[in-house]
Amino acid sequence: MTVRTRFAPSPTGRLHLGNVRAAVFNWLFARHHGGAFVLRIEDTDTARNVAGGEEGILEDLSWLGLDWDEGPDVGGPCGPYRQSERGVAYAAAVEALLEAGRAYPCFCSDAELESDTTEGKDGRDVRRYSGRCRHLTAAERAHLEQAGPPPAIRFAVPGTGGDVEIADAVFGSLSVPREELDDFVVRRSDGRVTYNFAVVVDDIGMEITHVIRGVGHLSNIPKQALVFDALGRARPVFAHLPTVLGKDGRKLSKREGASAVAELRDVGYPPDAIVNYLSLLGWSHPEEREVLSREELVAAISLDRVGKSDTQMDPEKLSWMGGQHIATESLGDLARHVRPFVDVERFPGALDRVEAVVDVLRSRLSTYGEINRHLPLIYPARDEAVSSARAEVAADPAAARVLERVGEALAAVEPWEADVLSSVVRDAGARAGARGAGIFHPLRVALIGSPKGPDLGKILAALGREEALGRIRAILGGRVV
């Protein structure tokens, strides 16, 4: 069996972390099994669809690296991949149910349906269809079809056969008494099909083998399972992911604290960090590891390590995860990712030696966009504290002697690389009669205005020869080095 999973968002806005988590699990699971990841757009609720909604979904998934094998833009053997284009498939499935006696037309008015409301065990009103149209004769149905508007079509829930038994890969075996299920609508009187019917027809048509989604859909399984059965098709493997809560303990949604994927992209989160973080919301690695590459996630993912308990979004941990992934990037990749975020008006020289610059600052970054927060470490403002520190160093004969010797040595360094520069600084400082802090403190003050900071070799590499020597000359009153 070829594993086929699907992600089926509605184009009602940009993806947020609460719903894209399902896409992550489906993508990882499909890739783990060498199967297919299908993208389906559920766009039949036209009142809620927004302009550009589908394009935004495609953009967000592409940025996250969740490539799909079949979908509305790339096509595939099981299309169409937009619900709005699948009317023929829905009509055929409705006719199949009617011919098999598994569905029937319902002519009930709104007033009649309202009269089916009763008081439930908890005191709240419960509307459960009485089934009055299920037992109409053929003549009665024919008369009503001629006399009134088109009927809705209801699914005829079997009255026998025991409870509806459901298997879920996360929550185990579930049982729902048939008397709790009324004859639900599969097609409304205006011709629109309902969600629980459409998704089954879609999953059958797209040969979906595993339905992995949020636990909020768990209550839909009984109806969907009955439709699968009535259409004579095997049920897919259902797997429901635990609820994601916000920091306030409330269910996460774009209205309740969930960040939009596009917002995280715009501030510079690494997409691999987001995929890694979302994978841990409900699932754990067999070795309890947390920082995982995409390849490691694909290799390790499984449904048997998905928990049932609610999980909680932690923005601080997401930031930490961003830093962990930035720390593992190659210098070239990191420089390429950081470059678009650099404020060139504030830091005009930063892009000239961007690899050396990010090498100095990478341990401080949790997003690429934080580069501008830390660039003042290399390009300090000319404030009173910096001026005072430099004046103090300039007035110290021992510190000035170190700067002179180091400056002379640096002027001749080839190649201008961090490791070479670090060695040259130590040797030149020693010739000036200094070591340790006696070398590093005055040189850091000359270069970045503070006695503390990153490795001196990396600072020098980031500044470049002319800028570094210029700053040393400045603190020595212009004396040539």
Side-chain angles (χ1 to χ4, degrees), residues 360-427:
V360 176
L361 301 175
R362 69 187 302 159
S363 65
R364 300 166 183 262
L365 301 178
S366 58
T367 71
Y368 305 130
E370 289 179 351
I371 189 68
N372 296 305
R373 182 192 306 174
H374 300 293
L375 277 172
L377 183 64
I378 302 175
Y379 302 98
R382 298 182 180 277
D383 60 18
E384 185 175 341
V386 170
S387 298
S388 176
R390 286 176 169 164
E392 185 177 337
V393 166
D396 182 344
R401 185 167 57 253
V402 167
L403 292 179
E404 289 177 353
R405 296 291 181 272
V406 170
E408 291 170 355
L410 290 175
V413 169
E414 286 292 347
W416 190 267
E417 296 176 353
D419 291 344
V420 176
L421 294 167
S422 294
S423 178
V424 168
V425 165
R426 287 192 298 271
D427 292 345

Side-chain angles (χ1 to χ4, degrees), residues 173-208:
S173 297
L174 305 172
S175 180
V176 179
R178 286 178 186 262
E179 58 267 22
E180 292 185 6
L181 299 172
D182 60 354
D183 290 352
F184 53 92
V185 173
V186 296
R187 187 172 70 193
R188 301 177 180 89
S189 59
D190 62 6
R192 292 179 300 132
V193 292
T194 58
Y195 170 79
N196 282 316
F197 175 70
V199 295
V200 172
V201 176
D202 292 341
D203 287 341
I204 290 173
M206 296 176 191
E207 302 177 0
I208 301 302

